[in-house]
Amino acid sequence: MLAVVLVFSGFVKAVDPMGTQYKLTDYLTALHLKMLTPDFLTLGAAVILSAVEFGIGICLLFGIRKTLSTNLAMLMMVIMTPLTLWLALTDPVSDCGCFGDAIVLTNWQTFGKNVVLLIMAFIVWKWPHDIVRLISTSSQWIATNYSAVFIIAVSGWSLYDLPYLDFRPYHIGTDLRAGWQEMMDGKESPYAEFFIQHVEDGEDITDSLLNSKGYLFLLVAPHMEKADDSQLDLINQMYEYAEDNEYPFYALTASGVKGIERWRDMTGAEYPFCQTDETTLKTIIRSNPGLLLLKDGVIIRKWSHNSLPDEYTLTGRLDKLEIGELPKDTMAEKILIIVLWYILPLLVLTIADGLWAWTKWLKRKEQSNKIYQLFKKKTENEKENRSRQLEDEPEPARGSGFGQGTE
């Protein structure tokens, strides 16, 4: 159970490293250390933390490096349990982010969970050699190295594009119109902080946009001052495409007027700008900027600034194109694919390593047999030579016995 929890915790952090970074920033803000830690450090720490958790969990699961892995698991829980007790007592952040957005626990639930995990960590630390080994000693280097490459690749791809698995309330397929209506009806909703206001006059246009028929493009940039400007041409092409086909196109940001004007001067942007809550924008898409496509209030597509559609994709109106509809792959299919991406190569590498080890064993066995056969042949030759020598020796002369004589 300890291994499974660590593997799951590490994976959901790796699949959304920016979300983990935001949570670490919340911790640092609560400790008044945010000004001392630049963004690249918190992002690097998020990637390393996910890889360490995943790696320890895999080692415990397969019984690899038992002493080292159990020591690390114990050390991690000894650090995390008092930390989560502090969170439960002081409540500086809403949740610890242990499982990202996949499973959200209260701070007291998190502390209780860590107490149980601490007990488990103590047990495996006390008796590490009782852990069942599920992989041979000769193949354990494959499991550890491949696991490290896999989890870092997951983080790298999520940073370059978007998280492959999206557990947030703004995932593809979300009906924002229905969610917004539940907020308006007074029900508890994750969309309570979602609003869209014109920068120029402050008019709230949330209701009109979400209830509009057809397609709607939303360019999301939490901070215009920090937005990536490497794909300005594609962004402007998307706006021109939207204008040509009469699709509304709005930019959502939490930046002030100065940041927006700077972006306009730098990019020549002509699309209208609206302001939205910063945390909401960071939750909507893990890219700065990123692009959303809505159809009748439903999120049907998301793109990071590294994967925007180009003129080869936008060859007609959206209702005639594949990107104008919801993707066909389900969450279950995505989970199956990523599990297979981990298990199948690991299985192939393990089998290949086993076959290689078996081949080497056969060669050693054959070599030892040759030596044995050579020794056996030499022994037999010696026996044969000895036998021949005995046969060639002359028989001793017969002497005159008692009672015998000559005439």
Side-chain angles (χ1 to χ4, degrees):
M1 286 187 66
L2 178 64
V4 170
V5 170
L6 289 175
V7 168
F8 178 74
S9 177
F11 177 77
V12 294
K13 287 184 177 71
V15 84
D16 185 13
M18 290 187 69
T20 307
Q21 179 192 20
Y22 295 153
K23 185 56 63 176
L24 291 177
T25 301
D26 290 342
Y27 283 125
L28 294 172
T29 301
L31 294 170
H32 307 288
L33 297 174
K34 184 178 182 298
M35 299 301 295
L36 302 177
T37 51
D39 290 342
F40 75 90
L41 283 181
T42 53
L43 183 58
V47 173
I48 293 172
L49 177 61
S50 63
V52 168
E53 278 190 291
F54 186 83
I56 294 174
I58 289 296
C59 287
L60 289 175
L61 189 64
F62 289 121
I64 298 171
R65 299 293 180 90
K66 300 177 182 181
T67 302
L68 177 61
S69 59
T70 54
N71 286 341
L72 291 176
M74 186 63 181
L75 176 63
M76 176 175 288
M77 297 315 305
V78 165
I79 295 173
M80 296 303 297
T81 306
L83 177 61
T84 51
L85 176 60
W86 169 71
L87 289 176
L89 293 173
T90 60
D91 200 30
V93 295
S94 57
D95 68 278
C96 73
C98 300
F99 303 124
D101 291 293
I103 300 176
V104 178
L105 302 175
T106 66
N107 289 332
W108 280 110
Q109 288 173 338
T110 301
F111 173 67
K113 178 260 299 181
N114 281 354
V115 169
V116 175
L117 294 182
L118 178 62
I119 295 172
M120 294 181 180
F122 175 78
I123 292 172
V124 297
W125 172 77
K126 185 69 175 177
W127 297 281
H129 299 293
D130 289 343
I131 299 175
V132 178
R133 178 181 289 278
L134 299 181
I135 194 167
S136 66
T137 305
S138 62
S139 299
Q140 67 181 13
W141 68 273
I142 294 178
T144 53
N145 292 341
Y146 180 72
S147 298
V149 171
F150 171 80
I151 202 66
I152 292 175
V154 169
S155 293
W157 178 256
S158 298
L159 288 173
Y160 177 79
D161 191 6
L162 291 174
Y164 185 68
L165 301 176
D166 191 349
F167 302 104
R168 287 159 285 143
Y170 296 91
H171 58 79
I172 291 176
T174 298
D175 190 341
L176 286 180
R177 181 185 298 173
W180 172 254
Q181 190 61 45
E182 290 181 2
M183 185 187 67
M184 295 297 289
D185 292 342
K187 298 178 181 178
E188 186 176 351
S189 170
Y191 313 103
E193 300 300 324
F194 181 77
F195 63 87
I196 303 174
Q197 291 181 340
H198 265 306
V199 171
E200 284 77 12
D201 55 15
E203 179 187 0
D204 192 318
I205 59 173
T206 313
D207 188 66
S208 62
L209 287 185
L210 295 183
N211 285 285
S212 61
K213 297 291 184 181
Y215 295 99
L216 168 66
F217 285 102
L218 296 177
L219 180 69
V220 177
H223 296 288
M224 285 295 182
E225 299 85 350
K226 299 180 180 180
D228 190 289
D229 58 0
S230 61
Q231 302 295 337
L232 295 180
D233 291 340
L234 279 179
I235 293 174
N236 290 332
Q237 286 178 19
M238 289 297 300
Y239 174 62
E240 292 172 3
Y241 168 81
E243 267 201 324
D244 293 341
N245 291 275
E246 298 181 345
Y247 301 134
F249 190 106
Y250 290 87
L252 309 184
T253 184
S255 296
V257 176
K258 289 185 178 180
I260 294 173
E261 290 302 324
R262 177 181 174 275
W263 180 263
R264 279 175 171 164
D265 293 340
M266 182 175 61
T267 65
E270 298 179 357
Y271 37 82
F273 281 79
C274 299
Q275 287 184 319
T276 309
D277 176 68
E278 175 188 351
T279 302
T280 301
L281 293 179
K282 289 180 176 179
T283 306
I284 290 174
I285 193 167
R286 302 300 200 202
S287 181
N288 187 26
L291 186 66
L292 266 68
L293 176 61
L294 278 65
K295 182 182 182 182
D296 298 331
V298 177
I299 300 175
I300 63 171
R301 294 284 171 170
K302 283 184 176 185
W303 298 281
S304 77
H305 60 270
N306 290 317
S307 60
L308 293 172
D310 54 24
E311 66 272 17
Y312 302 105
T313 303
L314 303 172
T315 56
R317 292 187 60 82
L318 288 173
D319 54 359
K320 305 295 184 182
L321 301 177
E322 183 181 356
I323 65 170
E325 300 296 333
L326 279 167
K328 296 180 180 179
D329 52 343
T330 64
M331 177 67 79
E333 290 173 339
K334 288 184 175 182
I335 293 175
L336 178 61
I337 288 172
I338 203 162
V339 167
L340 292 179
W341 265 108
Y342 178 73
I343 291 179
L344 289 183
L346 181 61
L347 185 62
V348 170
L349 290 172
T350 303
I351 292 174
D353 181 71
L355 290 174
W356 175 254
W358 182 64
T359 304
K360 290 172 64 177
W361 179 83
L362 285 179
K363 288 182 178 180
R364 289 196 301 268
K365 188 70 174 177
E366 183 180 0
Q367 185 67 23
S368 62
N369 285 341
K370 287 181 178 180
I371 295 173
Y372 172 75
Q373 293 296 334
L374 183 63
F375 176 77
K376 182 179 179 181
K377 186 175 182 181
K378 182 179 179 181
T379 306
E380 291 176 350
N381 289 338
E382 289 179 351
K383 289 182 178 180
E384 186 177 353
N385 292 335
R386 180 61 180 165
S387 173
R388 288 176 180 175
Q389 289 177 1
L390 291 175
E391 291 177 357
D392 293 340
E393 286 182 2
E395 294 184 3
R398 293 183 178 180
S400 38
F402 177 77
Q404 295 180 349
T406 58
E407 287 184 336

